[in-house]
Structures are given as C-alpha cells and as structure tokens.
C-alpha cells in the first residue's frame, strides 16, 4: 500500500458516454468528480487516457467531461475500443507505457474514473491488477445501473487489490505538503463542496 506519486500517476477515464450516462446512479456526482479529477490532472501535469466504448453506438463522452479532457495541456491519449476492459485493446498498455516512459507496469499508478462499474471499469481494474499495475479507483467518479452493482463491483475490485479512493485524496497525495505551489489553487477547486 502506498500513496500516489504525481510522477508515476496516469488518470484513466473510462466510457463516460451519452446513452450509458442516462442510466447510471447519481450521474451528476460522477460528472462533477470526473471533471475535477481531469482538472487536477491538468494542474499537476499528470497524463490522461480517455476511452469510449463503441462510440458509434453508445454516443460520445459527456460534453462536460470531454471539454475538461480537451482543455488539458498535459499529455493525453484517446482510445475508441470495442473490448469491455481497456486491457483487451492492443494499444492500451503501450499507451500507458508511452505516457510514463521508463516506468515498469508495477511503477505506473492508474487513477480510475468511469462506467459501468461492474463491466468495463471492473474488467479494466482486474486486468491491470493481474498485470501488476497499482490501481486507485475514485469511488465518486464511478457508477453503474444500480447501487448494488456499484457496491459489489467496488468490493470485487478491492479484493483484486485496487485502492478505493476519491479525487480529493488523489490531489492531496499528489501535493504531499501545504507548501506545494498548487495548494491554494486546489483549495479553491474544492471550495464548491463535494459532488452531489
């Protein structure tokens, strides 16, 4: 168990797309948390991967999330996939390694947001853990089509060795100290309260 390291982290946002977003539990919480997580990635220069599951059929990423991703100036990558788990796409792991060049899988900390918790998110997290990647799942940035699906998926991901966290903890682990130059900026971001 270890804290997140800003120099080893990659943010992964999985399939926050149109038709799926209409069916999940507490979509506003997921959108707000994910937008903040992407904003934090930009503040700290953390690379980001955004995926879409069969975008032609399910629709594009939610516009607020997509706008936050598009605004990033830190390294980023986009993946349009058909496999449910990201690791099933042959370009996914090479993308992670490119974004964190020189680091072995067990050194790359993957910070996860996305839907659905019991399908694409869980498949991705379990496969990443099997391959040795440390994974931190932001619970408020993950959802599915029912509270039970979400709860049991988070439990299974925990059993697989993932850390269940939240985007605020991510930020404070990346900063480590109140004297960090981004501390006031991060504090302002969180002044609006928790995503509902």
């Amino acid at each position: 168990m270890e804290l997140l390291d800003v120099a080893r982290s990659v943010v992964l946002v999985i399939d926050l797309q149109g038709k799926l977003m209409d069916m999940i539990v507490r979509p506003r919480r997921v959108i707000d948390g994910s937008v903040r997580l992407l904003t934090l990635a930009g503040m700290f220069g953390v690379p980001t991967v955004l995926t879409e599951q069969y975008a032609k059929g399910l629709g594009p990423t939610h516009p607020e999330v997509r706008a936050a991703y598009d605004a990033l100036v830190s390294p980023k990558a986009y993946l349009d996939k058909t496999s449910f788990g990201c690791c099933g796409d042959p370009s996914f792991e090479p993308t992670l390694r490119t974004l964190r060049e020189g680091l072995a899988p067990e050194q790359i900390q993957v910070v996860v947001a996305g839907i659905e918790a019991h399908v694409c998110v869980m498949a991705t997290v379990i496969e990443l853990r099997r391959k040795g990647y440390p994974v931190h799942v932001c619970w408020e940035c993950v959802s599915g089509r029912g509270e039970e699906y979400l709860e049991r998926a988070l439990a299974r991901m925990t059993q697989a060795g993932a850390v269940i966290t939240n985007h605020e903890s991510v930020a404070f682990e990346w900063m480590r100290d109140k004297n960090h130059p981004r501390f006031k900026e991060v504090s302002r971001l969180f002044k609006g309260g928790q995503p509902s």
Side-chain angles (χ1 to χ4, degrees):
M1 195 68 65
E2 59 183 353
L3 294 174
L4 286 165
D5 181 344
V6 73
R8 294 168 49 202
S9 296
V10 174
V11 168
L12 171 61
V13 179
I14 303 171
D15 309 345
L16 292 176
Q17 294 166 250
K19 289 181 182 178
L20 292 173
M21 291 300 292
D22 294 336
M23 296 185 279
I24 65 168
V25 172
R26 298 180 76 175
R28 187 76 251 164
R29 178 177 72 187
V30 174
I31 293 162
D32 291 347
S34 298
V35 166
R36 283 184 183 175
L37 181 62
L38 286 166
T39 302
L40 291 164
M43 285 182 189
F44 290 94
V46 172
T48 300
V49 179
L50 177 79
T51 74
E52 291 181 336
Q53 173 70 27
Y54 183 55
K56 183 179 173 186
L58 294 175
T61 297
H62 187 279
E64 291 175 55
V65 176
R66 186 64 199 226
Y69 170 80
D70 288 342
L72 291 172
V73 293
S74 50
K76 60 186 176 183
Y78 166 79
L79 179 65
D80 184 7
K81 62 185 178 64
T82 57
S83 60
F84 299 118
C86 294
C87 294
D89 188 289
S91 66
F92 176 65
E93 284 188 84
T95 298
L96 289 181
R97 290 194 296 273
T98 298
L99 290 171
R100 281 301 183 197
E101 195 171 348
L103 296 182
E106 62 272 12
Q107 296 173 300
I108 300 172
Q109 299 171 322
V110 184
V111 179
V112 177
I115 60 174
E116 284 189 77
H118 65 294
V119 185
C120 297
V121 174
M122 189 168 67
T124 300
V125 168
I126 289 172
E127 279 295 290
L128 284 171
R129 288 298 304 130
R130 188 180 67 80
K131 293 168 182 282
Y133 292 87
V135 180
H136 295 245
V137 179
C138 293
W139 66 265
E140 80 285 16
C141 302
V142 170
S143 191
R145 285 168 294 149
E147 201 67 51
E148 294 85 359
Y149 285 101
L150 174 59
E151 289 171 9
R152 283 159 178 77
L154 289 171
R156 187 169 173 201
M157 288 185 268
T158 302
Q159 289 171 345
V163 174
I164 307 302
T165 189
N166 61 78
H167 71 281
E168 284 201 22
S169 293
V170 169
F172 284 97
E173 288 175 38
W174 284 345
M175 282 189 294
R176 298 291 171 98
D177 193 292
K178 81 159 246 11
N179 292 321
H180 190 284
R182 293 283 191 185
F183 176 74
K184 287 184 180 175
E185 191 178 356
V186 170
S187 294
R188 282 194 299 272
L189 181 67
F190 294 151
K191 282 264 164 65
Q194 297 301 315
S196 56

